[in-house]
């Protein structure tokens, strides 16, 4: 492991919570595709499978920030353990209802309940921020490491989930995802030494972290970015099926994630200068431009190369996004702020998947790649329009305790 990565793991407890975080976030890449595979195999209804996956994603988008808000107030252990048990019970109900062929509405009820799965990635990033707050270079490397872990999950998670559900029994993929969640969360919350300290109630009186103008720009941009990811997934499966190799779609998408993984690894080794907002804007624009070559794909090898190149822009942009969240959100609401970016992505994935499916049905797989191009253009437009919000200094400071001190000083001057 290169020395910057070795250095961040010198802090006590970092290896343990990072390993737990890996297991805890595997369901992020396994659950949705596992539900689609399970339901399509049991019922043969792809429409129902897609609707359930979208319900799961939208439920997570709504409930995730609320769970993280409670974590900021009460701590990871007190909130994550009961929430995880609720999510696992909902997944179990979903599997039983699907296996027993119960009415469709029961599937949607349990899919909505399963959406309270906590954002484990935000929990581990919050621990890194607690350890290396005030050390920008080490925190940059830590966030890069987290992006690498995310991409490794997306490289292997769908392959494992689809493989188990098709080779073993239909419920195997979601069942293993639930097992990963249980092990990861309980292992993570057992590590109390690195758990961020909850902040006093008065530091949460100003409302949601989404009131931050900078965070609003990041979330809005990530909705369009998520649409890129959702559309690419759907269209790539359809494209591979058109070329007679549907099973190869998972490998092509793994190459997409591999490009992001390698870029994140290199990005974490760099000593960066300049404004993070500028790097973020360049990254969003690079993601948008990288969608254009997909229009020229005539075969799977060309598509794999194009997606690998497109993936190179993802992890650096995600890493910079987390640095901007830390700058623009009070420290008392950091976990919630990080989760909101994931919420934006989840909403975008649902929208992009739906739009891409509609275009593929209407005009074919090749035409479907216009959807990520349009989504990329929207992401770049929102990033340009919101750039000034991200580049300008945050007037209230980054930390909730700093805000309180500033107000106290102002009161003393007035007196």
């Amino acid at each position: 492991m290169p020395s910057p990565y070795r250095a961040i793991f010198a802090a006590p407890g970092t290896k343990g919570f990072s390993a737990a975080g890996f297991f805890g976030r595997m369901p992020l890449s396994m659950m949705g595709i596992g539900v689609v595979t399970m339901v399509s195999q049991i019922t043969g209804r792809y429409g129902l499978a897609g609707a359930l996956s979208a319900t799961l994603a939208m439920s997570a988008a709504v409930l995730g920030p609320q769970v993280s808000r409670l974590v900021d107030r009460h701590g990871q252990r007190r909130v994550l353990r009961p929430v995880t048990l609720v999510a696992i019970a909902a997944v179990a109900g979903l599997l039983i209802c699907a296996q027993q062929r119960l009415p469709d509405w029961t599937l949607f009820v349990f899919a909505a309940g399963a959406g309270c799965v906590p954002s484990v990635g935000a929990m581990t990033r919050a621990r890194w921020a607690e350890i290396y707050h005030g050390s920008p270079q080490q925190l940059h490397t830590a966030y890069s490491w987290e992006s690498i872990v995310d991409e490794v999950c997306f490289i292997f998670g769908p392959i494992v989930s689809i493989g188990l559900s098709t080779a073993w029994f239909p419920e195997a993929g979601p069942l293993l995802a639930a097992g990963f969640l249980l092990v990861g969360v309980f292992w993570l919350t057992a590590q109390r030494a690195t758990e961020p300290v909850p902040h006093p109630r008065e530091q949460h009186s100003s409302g949601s972290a989404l009131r931050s103008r900078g965070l609003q720009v990041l979330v809005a941009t990530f909705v369009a970015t998520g649409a890129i990811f959702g559309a690419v997934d759907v269209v790539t499966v359809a494209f591979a099926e058109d070329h007679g190799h549907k099973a190869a779609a998972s490998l092509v998408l793994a190459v997409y994630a591999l490009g992001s993984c390698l870029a994140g690894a290199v990005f974490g080794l760099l000593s960066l200068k300049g404004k993070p907002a500028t790097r973020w804007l360049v990254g969003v624009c690079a993601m948008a431009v990288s969608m254009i070559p997909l229009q020229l794909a005539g075969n799977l090898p060309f598509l794999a190369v194009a997606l690998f190149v497109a993936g190179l822009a993802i992890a650096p942009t995600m890493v910079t996004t987390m640095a901007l969240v830390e700058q623009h959100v009070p420290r008392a609401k950091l976990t919630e702020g990080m989760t909101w970016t994931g919420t934006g992505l989840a909403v975008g994935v649902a929208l992009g998947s739906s739009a891409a499916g509609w275009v593929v049905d209407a005009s074919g797989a090749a035409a479907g790649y216009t959807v990520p191009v349009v989504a990329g253009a929207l992401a770049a437009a929102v990033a340009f329009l919101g750039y000034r919000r991200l580049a300008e200094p945050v007037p209230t400071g980054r930390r909730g305790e700093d805000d309180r001190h500033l107000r106290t000083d102002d009161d003393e001057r007035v007196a």
Side-chain angles (χ1 to χ4, degrees):
M1 185 179 292
S3 57
Y5 290 108
R6 287 202 305 270
I8 63 171
F9 284 105
T14 52
K15 294 178 182 177
F17 77 70
S18 183
F22 170 75
F23 285 101
R25 78 186 74 178
M26 281 293 285
L28 183 65
S29 64
M30 294 179 64
M31 189 63 75
I33 193 66
V35 168
V36 169
T37 307
M38 174 188 71
V39 174
S40 63
Q41 281 193 280
I42 292 175
T43 67
R45 298 165 59 190
Y46 282 90
L48 174 62
L52 286 170
S53 179
T55 300
L56 187 66
M58 294 303 293
S59 175
V62 172
L63 298 176
Q66 310 312 317
V67 171
S68 294
R69 192 175 185 183
L70 291 173
V71 167
D72 283 329
R73 292 185 177 187
H74 304 291
Q76 294 185 2
R77 183 185 180 91
R78 289 183 61 187
V79 175
L80 295 188
R81 290 193 169 190
V83 164
T84 297
L85 293 176
V86 170
I88 290 176
V91 171
L94 175 62
L95 301 188
I96 292 172
C97 290
Q99 197 271 335
Q100 295 295 320
R101 304 290 184 92
L102 297 183
D104 290 351
W105 66 266
T106 62
L107 302 177
F108 285 98
V109 169
F110 284 113
C116 65
V117 171
S119 176
V120 178
M123 305 303 158
T124 56
R125 286 177 172 92
R127 292 187 181 224
W128 286 116
E130 186 79 5
I131 293 170
Y132 290 121
H133 179 70
S135 302
Q137 183 57 44
Q138 290 178 301
L139 194 55
H140 163 73
T141 304
Y143 286 159
S144 298
W145 172 258
E146 289 298 310
S147 289
I148 294 171
V149 175
D150 284 340
E151 299 305 334
V152 169
C153 290
F154 276 97
I155 290 172
F156 294 106
I159 296 173
V160 172
S161 186
I162 295 172
L164 286 177
S165 290
T166 54
W168 199 4
F169 56 92
E171 300 85 2
L175 187 62
L176 181 62
F180 277 138
L181 178 66
L182 182 66
V183 171
V185 169
F186 275 73
W187 186 11
L188 178 68
T189 53
Q191 302 175 51
R192 305 299 299 276
T194 55
E195 180 179 347
V197 178
H199 295 267
R201 180 179 295 273
E202 58 268 18
Q203 294 185 20
H204 300 272
S205 59
S206 58
S208 171
L210 198 56
R211 295 183 64 179
S212 163
R213 287 163 52 86
L215 183 60
Q216 291 168 6
V217 173
L218 296 173
V219 173
T221 305
F222 266 38
V223 171
T225 303
I228 294 175
F229 301 155
V232 166
D233 286 352
V234 171
V235 180
T236 299
V237 172
F239 186 90
E241 185 174 15
D242 277 0
H243 286 74
H245 301 284
K246 185 176 181 180
S250 60
L251 298 178
V252 174
L253 292 173
V255 170
Y256 189 29
L258 178 63
S260 177
C261 182
L262 294 178
V266 174
F267 193 65
L269 301 176
L270 303 178
S271 297
L272 302 176
K273 297 180 181 179
K275 294 181 178 180
T278 303
R279 292 197 298 274
W280 177 80
L281 179 61
V282 171
V284 173
C285 292
M287 281 197 290
V289 172
S290 70
M291 293 295 104
I292 297 175
L294 302 183
Q295 310 300 308
L296 307 175
N299 53 61
L300 287 174
F302 182 94
L303 178 62
V305 172
L307 284 176
F308 177 82
V309 174
L312 297 176
I314 296 175
T317 306
M318 298 298 180
V319 172
T320 308
T321 298
M322 293 304 146
L324 287 170
V325 171
E326 209 229 348
Q327 287 184 1
H328 287 266
V329 173
R331 190 156 184 79
K333 302 175 183 179
L334 183 59
T335 308
E336 181 193 351
M338 290 179 173
T339 304
W340 271 114
T341 60
T343 292
L345 279 176
V347 171
V349 167
L351 295 175
S353 300
S354 301
W358 181 82
V359 172
V360 168
D361 287 341
S363 305
Y369 281 117
T370 58
V371 177
V373 170
V374 173
L378 288 174
V382 174
F384 270 110
L385 293 174
Y387 172 75
R388 290 185 61 184
R389 288 191 184 186
L390 295 173
E392 65 188 10
V394 185
T396 57
R398 290 187 301 169
R399 304 179 62 184
E401 53 266 40
D402 294 341
D403 296 345
R404 190 171 65 254
H405 294 328
L406 286 171
R407 289 194 297 269
T408 303
D409 293 342
D410 289 341
D411 293 341
E412 290 176 353
R413 284 195 292 271
V414 171

